[in-house]
Amino acid sequence: MGSISSISSLPFDEYIIPPSWRDRAIPIDDYKRICEESLRNIEEFWAKVAEQLKWFKKWDRVLDSSNPPFFKWFVGGELNMSYLCLDWQIEQGRKNKVALIWEGEPVDERGEPIEVRKLTYYDLWRETNRIAYALREKLGVKKGEIITFYCPMIPELATLLLATVRIGAAHSIVFSGFSAQALAERIKDAESRIVVTADGMYRRGRILRLKEIVDEAVKQCPTVEKVIVIRRVGLTDVHMEPGRDIWYSDLLSDVPRNVYVEPERMRSEDTLFVLYTSGTTGKPKGIVHDIGGYAVGLYATMKWVFDVRDDDIIFNSADIGWITGHSYNLYGPLIVGSTFIWYEGAPDYPAPDRWWSIIERYGVTIFYTSPTAVRMFMRYGEDWVRKHDLSTLRIVHTVGEPINPEAWRWYFRNLCRENCAASSTWWMTETGIILISHVPGIGLTPLKPGTNAMPIPGVEADVLDEDGNSCPPGVKGYLVIKTPWPGMLLTILKDPERYVKTYWSKFSKPDQGLWIFYTSDYAVKDKDGYIWVLGRADEVLKVAGHRIGTAELESALIQHPAVAEAAVVGKPDPVKGEVPVAFVVLREGYSPSPELEKELKEWVRKMIGPLAEPAEVYFVTKLPKTRSGKIMRRLIKAVIVGAPLGDITTLEDASAVEEVKKAYEELRRLVERK
Ligand code: 6R9
C-alpha cells in the first residue's frame, strides 16, 4: 500500500547505519546538541552560512522581522543568482568542469541514447550571456518582469532561466503536463509579456506538440507580446504568429559569441521566481521566492543534506516545473559547482531500466527521486535494477510525499545495497529548501524506514495539537515551523492576505509576537525526536507526488454542462500514493452512463492536465452536506477508504447525525458495487 496506514505500524525503533557511513555517523543526542546550538541565535548561525557565498554588497541585517509575517532575509545585501551559479563557479576554477549532462529521450535500435550533451560552466556562462543580451536589448526585458516558461527539460531552458535572472527578471515555470487552460490562468496572473516554449517534446517515444498548447493559452492572455520557441523535435508545420512568435535560434543569430552582460545587482529580497502551486481554493497560488535567503538556504542544504563533494554526479529525476526541479535540479547543483544530469523523458522508456542505465552510464553518486517512482519500479521487479552497476551511489533521497516503510526498504536494498544515506526529505514549494531530513554532510543519525528525521540546523519544527500544544511522542498533530528560515516564501503573488491567512493564522499569536508557520501537514514525532510526516491535513492531494487541490478539480468539473455539483477526495493508491475520485450530481436532463464518466475524466484532463484525471467518477443524487451547506468531504473520504463513520459524526453538526449515517451507507453501497 502506498500510503502510511497507521502510526502504530511505523518502525520507530528500527535503527540503521549503512556500513560505508559508519565513520560519518553521529549519535542522535550529538545531533540534537548541534541543532540546539544553532537555534540559540539563528541570525548569527545563518550569517555564517551566508558569508560563504559571494555578495556584491554585504547585508545590513540578517533577518528583518519588522513587518511579520513578511520576513526578509539579508536586507541591504546585493547579489545575483546567475552570477553565483556561473561566474562565481568559474572564478573558483570550475571553468572547464561539466555542469550539465543532458540526455534526450530518443534511443537507437540497441536502446542507447542518441543525444547526449555535456555543457561546462563556461559553456553555460557564454550561452547565458548571449541570451541575456538578446532578452534585454532585443526584447526589452525589464528588471522585475515575470517571464513564463512552458518547456521540456532541454539545455536551452537552463540557460534561458539563468539569463532571465541575470538581468533581474523573474520566471514562472509551468509544468509541461498542464493544460492550455491551466497555463493561461498562470500567464494571466503573472501578467507575463513573454512566454517561452518549444515546438514539441518527446514523451515515451511520442511527440507532444507544446507550441499548439501555448497558442491556445495565449489567445486568452492579452499581456503576451512575444512567444519564444525553441526547436526541439524539429516539427516543420509549426504555426508562427507574425510579430509575436520568434524562434529561439533567430533571436540569438545576430548576437556576438563573446558578448558579456553584467549581472544586475539585485537586492536580497527581490524576486527570483514565482511558482504556482495548489491550495484549498480553485485558484492556484503564485508562491514568490527571494534571491538572498533562497541562495543561502540552497547552498546550506546542498552541503548538509546531499553532502556534495566536487566529484559528485547528481541525478535528480524531478521536472523543472516543480519546486524540486527549481531548487535541486538547477540552482542548488550550480551554486555548489557540481555536475548534474537532466534526462528529458519518461523513466520507463524504452524499458523500465532507463534510470538505472543513466546511473550506470555516468556513475551517478547522488540520486534524488520520489516514492511514487520507487513504487512503480517495485512493480517492474528487481531484475531491471540488478542488470546495472549502481555501486557508485552513495546517497539516495526521496521527496514529494510520505514514503511507506516497504518502499523505503525496497530501494534501500535494491538501489542502495544497504549502503547509502537514504532519507525522506520533507519540504514544500513554500519552504523553498529542504527543512527536515537526515544531514549526512554534517553527520548521519541512524536511518529509519520512512522517517523524515529531524529539522536541519537553524530550523525549529514541532508537531502541535489543535490548541497549539506540543504533541507527545506517538501522537498525531500538525507540523509547524517555529522560526523563519532562509529560502522561505516572501508572499503569495498579488495576494498578501492569503499568505497571512494560509500560513500564519492557525497557530500564531501576533499580540505576543509569536509567529508560527503552519504547513498543512499531519505528522507525528517519535521518542527520539524524529518527525514522520503522514500526509496533508487540508483539501490538497498528492498524486504521484504532484500537488493538486480538490477545489481545482471540483471547479473544473462543475464547468461541464452535465455537472450540477461535484466533490473530489483522495483515494489511497498503491503506486501514486493518492488518486482523485469524484462524486458528481448531474443536472436535469443528464443521466449516468459509462460514456459520461469517460467524458468527465477527459474533461478534467483537458481543463487541468493528465495528472488531475479522476481515477473514478461516481454519480450520486445528492452530496452529503452539513446543515450550513458545506460538503462533508470527511464522510466521503471515510467511504472511499472503507473507514467506519465513527468520529466523523462528532466533527460535524450533531443534529444531522442520522442524515449523515444514511448518506454514508448510501455512498458505501455505491462504492462497493463498483
Ligand atoms: C517538495 C514538495 C509539499 C507537500 C508537503 C507534504 C508533501 C513533501 C515529503 C512530503 C512526506 C516527504 N511532502 N515531501 N510528505 N514526506 N519527504 O513536494 O513540494 O509540491 O509543494 O508539496 O508534499 O504533504 O506539504 P510541494
Side-chain angles (χ1 to χ4, degrees), residues 277 322-324 368 371 398-403 423-431 436 450-452 519-521 532-536 542 545-547:
T277 189
W322 310 106
I323 189 68
T324 306
Y368 197 28
T398 61
V399 61
E401 51 183 315
I403 185 158
S423 189
S424 171
T425 63
W426 179 91
W427 57 299
M428 310 168 66
T429 304
E430 291 85 342
T431 70
I436 307 175
T451 188
N452 300 106
T519 64
S520 296
D521 274 346
W532 304 67
V533 173
L534 304 166
R536 298 284 301 195
K542 271 287 184 154
H546 304 322
R547 206 164 139 176

Side-chain angles (χ1 to χ4, degrees), residues 81 84-86 88-89 94 97-100 121 124 162 294-295 298-299 301-303 306 308-310 312-316 320 323-342 366 368:
M81 194 59 151
L84 287 174
C85 288
L86 302 172
W88 186 47
Q89 302 308 324
R94 301 195 173 107
K97 181 175 176 175
V98 172
L100 175 62
Y121 275 88
L124 291 185
L162 290 161
Y294 185 67
L298 282 187
Y299 186 82
T301 48
M302 285 304 296
K303 302 248 166 185
F306 293 101
V308 173
R309 304 172 196 169
D310 225 23
D312 272 315
I313 307 275
I314 303 170
F315 178 27
N316 173 353
I320 191 83
I323 189 68
T324 306
H326 286 59
S327 297
Y328 299 107
N329 213 0
L330 184 73
Y331 294 120
L334 289 171
I335 210 167
V336 294
S338 62
T339 302
F340 61 107
I341 295 169
W342 274 16
I366 299 172
Y368 197 28

Side-chain angles (χ1 to χ4, degrees), residues 348-399:
D348 50 359
Y349 182 86
D353 61 345
R354 183 68 184 258
W355 283 2
W356 319 140
S357 73
I358 288 172
I359 292 173
E360 185 175 48
R361 189 155 35 249
Y362 307 105
V364 170
T365 53
I366 299 172
F367 181 42
Y368 197 28
T369 194
S370 70
T372 290
V374 170
R375 290 188 296 257
M376 183 181 93
F377 288 119
M378 277 172 85
R379 291 211 151 173
Y380 283 129
E382 289 152 31
D383 291 348
W384 289 106
V385 187
R386 294 233 181 86
K387 274 170 63 181
H388 297 276
D389 174 12
L390 308 185
S391 60
T392 49
L393 289 173
R394 60 186 196 87
I395 291 183
V396 183
H397 292 330
T398 61
V399 61

Side-chain angles (χ1 to χ4, degrees), residues 446-482:
L447 309 176
K448 302 185 188 189
T451 188
N452 300 106
M454 285 179 273
I456 62 170
V459 170
E460 196 181 356
D462 202 358
V463 177
L464 304 183
D465 66 17
E466 200 65 54
D467 301 322
N469 304 310
S470 194
C471 292
V475 175
K476 175 177 167 180
Y478 301 103
L479 179 68
V480 298
I481 312 296
K482 295 168 88 172

Side-chain angles (χ1 to χ4, degrees), residues 58-79:
K58 202 180 160 172
W59 57 90
D60 305 317
R61 273 176 87 174
V62 177
L63 175 62
D64 176 356
S65 313
S66 61
N67 182 25
F70 298 90
F71 299 99
K72 293 193 178 109
W73 283 88
F74 307 110
V75 285
E78 288 176 4
L79 76 175

Side-chain angles (χ1 to χ4, degrees), residues 34-219:
I34 295 172
C35 291
E36 275 161 29
E37 183 61 33
S38 73
L39 294 176
R40 222 163 274 159
N41 186 334
I42 59 162
E43 295 194 35
E44 224 168 70
F45 177 80
W46 286 110
K48 279 211 196 85
V49 181
E51 273 156 18
Q52 295 170 46
L53 297 180
K54 186 136 173 212
W55 298 74
F56 298 147
K57 176 177 169 286
K58 202 180 160 172
W59 57 90
D60 305 317
R61 273 176 87 174
V62 177
L63 175 62
D64 176 356
S65 313
S66 61
N67 182 25
F70 298 90
F71 299 99
K72 293 193 178 109
W73 283 88
F74 307 110
V75 285
E78 288 176 4
L79 76 175
N80 182 288
M81 194 59 151
S82 170
Y83 173 84
L84 287 174
C85 288
L86 302 172
D87 310 55
W88 186 47
Q89 302 308 324
I90 291 170
E91 285 166 25
Q92 292 174 80
R94 301 195 173 107
K95 181 178 173 197
N96 299 320
K97 181 175 176 175
V98 172
L100 175 62
I101 301 176
W102 177 78
E103 189 171 305
E105 189 189 73
V107 289
D108 63 18
E109 56 290 339
R110 292 165 307 155
E112 297 290 315
I114 296 169
E115 298 162 289
V116 174
R117 285 172 66 187
K118 295 188 180 180
L119 295 110
T120 64
Y121 275 88
Y122 189 61
D123 293 332
L124 291 185
W125 179 80
R126 274 220 325 209
E127 191 73 355
T128 297
N129 273 286
R130 293 184 71 218
I131 305 166
Y133 177 89
L135 290 178
R136 197 168 63 188
E137 305 304 325
K138 296 176 73 176
L139 301 185
V141 172
K142 296 257 161 358
K143 199 169 167 171
E145 78 170 86
I146 302 171
I147 301 182
T148 295
F149 291 80
Y150 186 73
C151 294
M153 295 282 281
I154 48 178
E156 290 83 350
L157 172 62
T159 40
L160 271 154
L161 293 168
L162 290 161
T164 300
V165 303
R166 190 174 190 84
I167 57 177
H171 53 75
S172 162
I173 308 178
V174 180
F175 174 54
S176 56
F178 276 118
S179 68
Q181 189 58 38
L183 173 61
E185 232 178 283
R186 288 158 177 78
I187 296 173
K188 276 189 278 186
D189 192 70
E191 297 174 41
S192 285
R193 205 167 58 81
I194 297 176
V195 177
V196 182
T197 188
D199 55 349
M201 66 184 278
Y202 291 103
R203 193 70 191 177
R204 247 181 219 102
R206 291 198 357 246
I207 290 175
L208 301 180
R209 300 178 67 99
L210 280 192
K211 171 65 166 55
E212 283 175 11
I213 301 174
V214 171
D215 285 341
E216 200 185 322
V218 165
K219 268 188 221 149

Side-chain angles (χ1 to χ4, degrees), residues 1-6 9-10 371-372 375 378-379 401-408 571-579 640-642:
M1 189 45 104
S3 57
I4 288 175
S5 39
S6 81
S9 69
L10 294 174
T372 290
R375 290 188 296 257
M378 277 172 85
R379 291 211 151 173
E401 51 183 315
I403 185 158
N404 47 311
E406 195 193 341
W408 188 90
K571 179 184 167 180
D573 181 88
V575 174
K576 293 180 176 178
E578 247 184 328
V579 289
I640 277 294
V641 301

